[in-house]
Amino acid sequence: MAEIIRMPKMSDTMLEGVIANWLKKEGDVIKSGDIIAEVETDKATMELENYEDGTLLYIGVKVGEAVPVDGIIAIVGTPGEDYSALLAAPAAATSPAPVASEPVAAAAAPVAQAPAATPAIDLSGVKAVAVRMPKMSDTMIEGVIAKWLKAVGDVIKNGDIIAEVETDKATMELENYEDGTLLYIGAKEGQGVIVDGIIAIVGEPGANFQLILDAEAAPKASIPAPAPAAPVAAPVASAPAPIVTKAPVVEEKTASKPGAELKASPLARALAKEKGYNLNWITGTGEGGRITKADVEEYNPNSGGANTNFTGGVESFEDIPNSQMRKTIARRLSESKFSAPEFYLTMEINMDKAMEARVSMNETFPVKISFNDMVIKATALSLAKHPKVNSYWMEDRIRVNKHVHIGMAVAVEDGLLVPVIRFASEKSIAQISAEAKDLGAKAKGKLLQPKDWEGNTFTVSNLGMFGIDQFTSIINSPESCILAVGGIKETVGVKNGQFYATNIMKLTLTCDHRVVDGATGAAFLLTLKQYLEDPIKMFL
């Protein structure tokens, strides 16, 4: 008897999966335990295991297509078996038979006529497929095309990298899964496209790809205003929800010169921004008045450039479009700030012994140990002793994490990234130091991958190197706490009535009161203080 293979829920936040690659094809004999496909989830690309013996009769999802959790992916059975009833069952379930009464029949009549007014566009004869924006991180809502690596008319193959996409986490490569010619590019460089929106179309030369674009836009134009008595099931079933394929974006331009559009090469724009020059003041010598790199290098701001007579200052400003990273930071931290009842605990740490220990470690270890490395190691050990601080708020439950994954806040040009040092409590301080340096470099170079930023159970944010004595941080949801680390400051201490020079560092723990009480947070900080004030305890 034929059996349905459905999309499993492969992570706690997964809503749908994308078929990244089929490892079996229709007609293949498969057994329980065989890996039949690779599925891209909201966390990673994972293997899809089969649990039925038989023949793969039907594959209902193409490579690159998304399937909601519990949706039909394939059917397994015996050769020649009729499985049509299994495919028809979900449709029948979503369209219950109406009650046989005159009012219902009358109300249903106008709804039945609605699809006839806007017939579905037949795409069966179009030898082309849409390339859509994949969901490249668990928080991604849209991606920005950073760079196209292929052009319209290029012949491309499955596995080719066709573009670079800026997500809210990093700039990542966009892989193509179709063989054919690049017929259409729907998003320019610097333009944002929502997840599942059409980026491009690949197919045979001469294919009528406009039908794909028309079908994408059709639901938005054809859905009529709902009638008061009409059931909603009919119009919903007629077409999928519309997807905006060309989201409006602010073009990256400076103010135009009077009467003409300002033209400048990307290198000239970058150099002018670095030097703080207004491109309106620079005369372009390139084709059509285009400003080149040489024009920027030769420009003398003291001479006023093209404006030889100074007539007074001009007010000016620059609108900088928010990056995907900045949008996500705003959204996630707003959610955390206005949902979690936070309180703050601050403690002073005497760093005299830590400073001495660091000198000794740097004479011994193959990598240079920073004070931040020492804080991360001490924090990891303290979390192992106080697991309540290493917890998630999950609305209906509290998840106490028994592993320690430390998120390390790293400032980058567009905002803040939090790469993760996994199992930090089990690693040596030298291992933590090497990993922290590697992740920090990747973050600043936008080279982080999902495995580098997912799964943190606690976050450390250090602004001490910027001269900040003390500050508070916003919790990185769903974590329960975050540690803000200030700088080490030389000050005067008193002992037995005698003044002496000492070095103090302030730590501030932000706590979600739904999970962590004041006494619990204080006990954690006290343990952390003991490790940092006597570092030898971290190695016992």
Side-chain angles (χ1 to χ4, degrees), residues 314-330:
V314 178
E315 293 183 354
S316 65
F317 62 88
E318 180 184 6
D319 287 335
I320 302 175
N322 285 328
S323 66
Q324 297 304 105
M325 185 186 301
R326 181 57 60 188
K327 290 177 185 177
T328 300
I329 289 171

Side-chain angles (χ1 to χ4, degrees), residues 464-532:
M465 67 282 289
F466 298 107
I468 303 299
D469 292 335
Q470 179 184 349
F471 67 104
T472 58
S473 291
I474 300 174
I475 294 172
N476 189 12
S477 179
E479 296 172 15
S480 299
C481 297
I482 185 171
L483 184 70
V485 182
I488 299 174
K489 186 177 181 180
E490 188 175 19
T491 186
V492 176
V494 181
K495 186 176 182 179
N496 298 326
Q498 300 294 317
F499 294 99
Y500 66 97
T502 188
N503 295 276
I504 298 296
M505 179 177 69
K506 292 184 178 180
L507 303 178
T508 300
L509 184 70
T510 303
C511 305
D512 183 342
H513 216 323
R514 296 173 298 183
V515 181
V516 177
D517 297 325
T520 304
F524 165 78
L525 281 179
L526 183 59
T527 301
L528 180 56
K529 178 183 177 74
Q530 291 169 352
Y531 279 127
L532 289 174

Side-chain angles (χ1 to χ4, degrees), residues 397-539:
R397 63 194 183 282
I398 294 173
R399 174 173 295 171
V400 180
N401 295 299
K402 297 183 179 181
H403 58 279
V404 178
H405 291 349
I406 300 288
M408 177 184 69
V410 177
V412 295
E413 183 179 355
D414 292 333
L416 194 69
L417 290 173
V418 186
V420 180
I421 299 176
R422 300 179 183 279
F423 304 105
S425 59
E426 302 172 33
K427 292 179 177 176
S428 69
I429 196 168
Q431 289 173 316
I432 288 174
S433 178
E435 195 169 332
K437 289 176 176 61
D438 179 59
L439 290 171
K442 284 184 177 180
K444 292 179 180 178
K446 292 189 174 182
L447 298 175
L448 292 174
Q449 296 300 306
K451 64 181 178 63
D452 297 323
W453 69 65
E454 293 176 345
N456 42 301
T457 61
F458 186 93
T459 298
V460 173
S461 180
N462 190 341
L463 292 179
M465 67 282 289
F466 298 107
I468 303 299
D469 292 335
Q470 179 184 349
F471 67 104
T472 58
S473 291
I474 300 174
I475 294 172
N476 189 12
S477 179
E479 296 172 15
S480 299
C481 297
I482 185 171
L483 184 70
V485 182
I488 299 174
K489 186 177 181 180
E490 188 175 19
T491 186
V492 176
V494 181
K495 186 176 182 179
N496 298 326
Q498 300 294 317
F499 294 99
Y500 66 97
T502 188
N503 295 276
I504 298 296
M505 179 177 69
K506 292 184 178 180
L507 303 178
T508 300
L509 184 70
T510 303
C511 305
D512 183 342
H513 216 323
R514 296 173 298 183
V515 181
V516 177
D517 297 325
T520 304
F524 165 78
L525 281 179
L526 183 59
T527 301
L528 180 56
K529 178 183 177 74
Q530 291 169 352
Y531 279 127
L532 289 174
E533 290 192 341
D534 192 4
I536 191 65
K537 293 180 179 179
M538 290 193 282
F539 304 98

Side-chain angles (χ1 to χ4, degrees), residues 144-423:
V144 173
I145 301 296
K147 184 179 181 181
W148 278 105
L149 304 178
K150 302 291 183 180
V152 171
D154 286 356
V155 176
I156 55 178
K157 296 181 179 180
N158 181 4
D160 285 353
I161 305 302
I162 60 173
E164 294 176 355
V165 175
E166 178 193 347
T167 73
D168 57 334
K169 303 284 190 181
T171 299
M172 306 176 72
E173 295 178 333
L174 177 65
E175 185 175 351
N176 169 58
Y177 296 103
E178 300 292 336
D179 293 342
T181 300
L182 188 57
L183 305 176
Y184 167 82
I185 287 178
K188 299 176 181 177
E189 291 184 356
Q191 186 173 359
V193 182
I194 64 172
V195 169
D196 206 37
I198 292 179
I199 303 172
I201 295 177
V202 177
E204 294 185 2
N208 186 9
F209 64 82
Q210 185 60 44
L211 288 177
I212 297 176
L213 300 177
D214 292 343
E216 189 79 3
K220 183 176 181 180
S222 62
I223 294 178
V232 297
V236 171
S238 65
I243 298 175
V244 180
T245 59
K246 293 185 179 180
V249 295
V250 179
E251 294 187 10
E252 192 178 343
K253 293 181 180 178
T254 54
S256 299
K257 293 181 180 178
E261 183 182 359
L262 181 65
K263 297 179 181 179
S265 70
L267 197 56
R269 291 182 185 274
L271 187 59
K273 183 177 180 181
E274 178 184 333
K275 293 179 175 291
Y277 295 167
N278 186 331
L279 287 173
N280 286 301
W281 301 340
I282 302 175
T283 300
T285 60
E287 182 180 356
R290 185 180 181 86
I291 299 172
T292 66
K293 176 189 175 186
D295 295 329
V296 178
E297 291 175 335
E298 294 171 4
Y299 170 66
N300 181 0
N302 295 324
S303 68
N307 302 321
T308 55
N309 297 318
F310 179 73
T311 58
V314 178
E315 293 183 354
S316 65
F317 62 88
E318 180 184 6
D319 287 335
I320 302 175
N322 285 328
S323 66
Q324 297 304 105
M325 185 186 301
R326 181 57 60 188
K327 290 177 185 177
T328 300
I329 289 171
R331 177 170 55 85
R332 292 290 299 276
L333 293 187
S334 294
E335 290 172 357
S336 177
K337 185 66 176 177
F338 297 114
S339 63
E342 297 177 348
F343 69 94
Y344 312 97
L345 300 172
T346 300
M347 183 172 283
E348 288 189 348
I349 310 295
N350 186 305
M351 295 295 287
D352 290 345
K353 288 186 178 180
M355 295 173 74
E356 294 174 2
R358 179 172 176 258
V359 172
S360 298
M361 284 187 284
N362 284 334
E363 292 174 351
T364 306
F365 294 153
V367 294
K368 186 176 180 180
I369 306 299
S370 69
F371 288 113
N372 195 57
D373 300 330
M374 299 176 72
V375 170
I376 290 175
K377 176 62 178 177
T379 299
L381 294 174
S382 302
L383 289 172
K385 290 188 175 182
H386 302 275
K388 198 69 175 288
V389 180
N390 194 44
S391 300
Y392 289 159
W393 172 258
M394 306 289 287
E395 296 300 337
D396 60 338
R397 63 194 183 282
I398 294 173
R399 174 173 295 171
V400 180
N401 295 299
K402 297 183 179 181
H403 58 279
V404 178
H405 291 349
I406 300 288
M408 177 184 69
V410 177
V412 295
E413 183 179 355
D414 292 333
L416 194 69
L417 290 173
V418 186
V420 180
I421 299 176
R422 300 179 183 279
F423 304 105

Side-chain angles (χ1 to χ4, degrees), residues 5-8 10 14 17-26 28 30-41 44-51 56 58-65 67 71-76 177:
I5 299 177
R6 298 183 181 274
M7 175 63 72
M10 295 175 165
M14 177 177 170
V18 175
I19 300 297
N21 187 27
W22 277 107
L23 304 178
K24 302 290 183 180
K25 62 182 184 296
E26 289 183 2
D28 285 357
I30 55 177
K31 297 181 179 180
S32 176
D34 284 354
I35 305 302
I36 61 172
E38 294 176 349
V39 176
E40 178 188 344
T41 74
T45 299
M46 306 175 72
E47 295 179 334
L48 177 64
E49 185 175 350
N50 169 57
Y51 296 100
L56 189 56
Y58 168 80
I59 290 178
V61 187
K62 296 179 180 178
V63 170
E65 289 184 348
V67 185
I72 295 176
I73 301 174
I75 294 177
V76 177
Y177 296 103

